[in-house]
Amino acid sequence: MRCLGELEAAVMQVLWEEPEPVKVRDVLERLDTGRSLAYTTVLTVLDNLHRKGWVQREMESRAYRYRPTRSREEAAARMLGQVLDASGAPEVVLGHFAASLSAEHARILRTALRERDG
């Protein structure tokens, strides 16, 4: 799973906010990018997201309905993992990350690590 471009991220935000799969037209109507977009532009973005594994699609009549393959939180966790993998020095990155955490976020991280370790 690769990181998202600006428009891809905006499309994913729309999909994560919708409880049911949506058509291209629905995504286009809900997008708030500050610029006018063509239907075909949103269709292309959704096709790219499908190819990258970010969304699933199902045919309904003659149009696809799209939905995310993972939650916003799962996607964020995977992207963090990719950043660590790409850094070449995950221990350094994690050290900087840990130092930057608020007390509350550090508590949440400690709890998650304890739960993981059983």
Side-chain angles (χ1 to χ4, degrees):
M1 182 160 98
R2 295 178 286 198
C3 292
L4 299 174
E6 184 179 333
L7 187 52
E8 290 173 327
V11 168
M12 289 305 300
Q13 293 297 334
V14 170
L15 294 176
W16 281 320
E17 291 169 2
E18 294 299 322
E20 299 295 325
V22 293
K23 294 180 182 177
V24 175
R25 177 80 48 211
D26 301 324
V27 174
L28 179 60
E29 290 171 359
R30 290 170 177 83
L31 271 175
D32 183 19
T33 62
R35 58 185 172 152
S36 179
L37 296 170
Y39 177 94
T40 54
T41 300
V42 176
L43 175 61
T44 298
V45 170
L46 283 163
D47 284 342
N48 289 342
L49 288 168
H50 178 258
R51 184 178 37 79
K52 292 177 180 180
W54 282 84
V55 300
Q56 290 180 334
R57 62 186 183 192
E58 53 195 49
M59 184 65 78
E60 181 180 288
S61 297
R62 296 182 340 173
Y64 283 115
R65 286 189 174 268
Y66 295 86
R67 66 181 173 89
T69 56
R70 59 194 50 88
S71 72
R72 181 185 334 246
E73 297 78 15
E74 290 169 325
R78 284 182 181 232
M79 284 189 281
L80 286 172
Q82 288 177 344
V83 168
L84 288 173
D85 291 343
S87 73
E91 61 284 349
V92 175
V93 173
L94 284 171
H96 287 294
F97 178 72
S100 72
L101 291 175
S102 68
E104 178 62 12
H105 288 162
R107 183 193 63 73
I108 292 167
L109 182 57
R110 280 192 300 276
T111 300
L113 289 170
R114 276 194 299 270
E115 288 175 1
R116 184 200 67 174
D117 294 338

